[in-house]
Amino acid sequence: MPSRVMAAVAGVSLYLGLNPALQRRVDLDGLKVGSVNRARSSASGIGGKGQGSYVAALQLATAPEAFAADGAAPPPRLCQFLGAGSEGDLLAGLLWARTGGGAGVDDLWVRVASPCRICTTLVDVA
């Protein structure tokens, strides 16, 4: 294993995001199948099981109960293959913002040529 990777994962809690996604939510005022539906609102967020676990670990790491007896919790790190295109860029930005953008946040992210996966949820709010 390359020394860069070994140094990056020493003493951390590692999360593997092997299938990241940009999660889109679209709110509709009554879904009409076979018709044009206008969205009331939409939002984008972080998707993927590994990414969701990582975000949860970030939240838990700030809870007082998460700290060991020595007062230190292992910092969570995300290792992922991140898709190309504007969706991949948006997902990277959302993850970066969630972590506070500290040094080394994206050391274990590998950008790939394939487009980022998009999961869309339609919500009938009527």
Side-chain angles (χ1 to χ4, degrees):
M1 190 175 286
S3 61
R4 173 179 82 86
V5 173
M6 291 299 290
V9 298
V12 300
S13 178
L14 186 62
Y15 292 82
L16 300 177
L18 301 178
N19 204 4
L22 181 65
Q23 179 67 48
R24 289 208 173 126
R25 175 188 165 123
V26 179
D27 294 330
L28 305 167
D29 286 322
L31 177 63
K32 296 169 192 72
V33 178
S35 298
V36 174
N37 291 273
R38 296 201 183 273
R40 173 192 284 189
S41 63
S42 66
S44 295
I46 299 167
K49 290 176 185 69
Q51 289 70 17
S53 298
Y54 171 66
V55 168
L58 286 171
Q59 292 172 336
L60 288 172
T62 61
E65 303 82 27
F67 293 100
D70 63 359
R77 296 291 301 276
L78 176 63
C79 180
Q80 68 175 344
F81 299 105
L82 186 58
S86 60
E87 291 84 4
D89 294 342
L90 179 55
L91 180 57
L94 291 167
L95 284 162
W96 185 266
R98 183 67 115 169
T99 63
V105 167
D106 57 359
D107 283 354
L108 301 176
W109 299 1
V110 177
R111 292 302 294 254
V112 295
S114 306
C116 184
R117 195 169 63 107
I118 303 169
C119 297
T120 304
T121 303
L122 302 177
V123 180
D124 186 348
V125 294

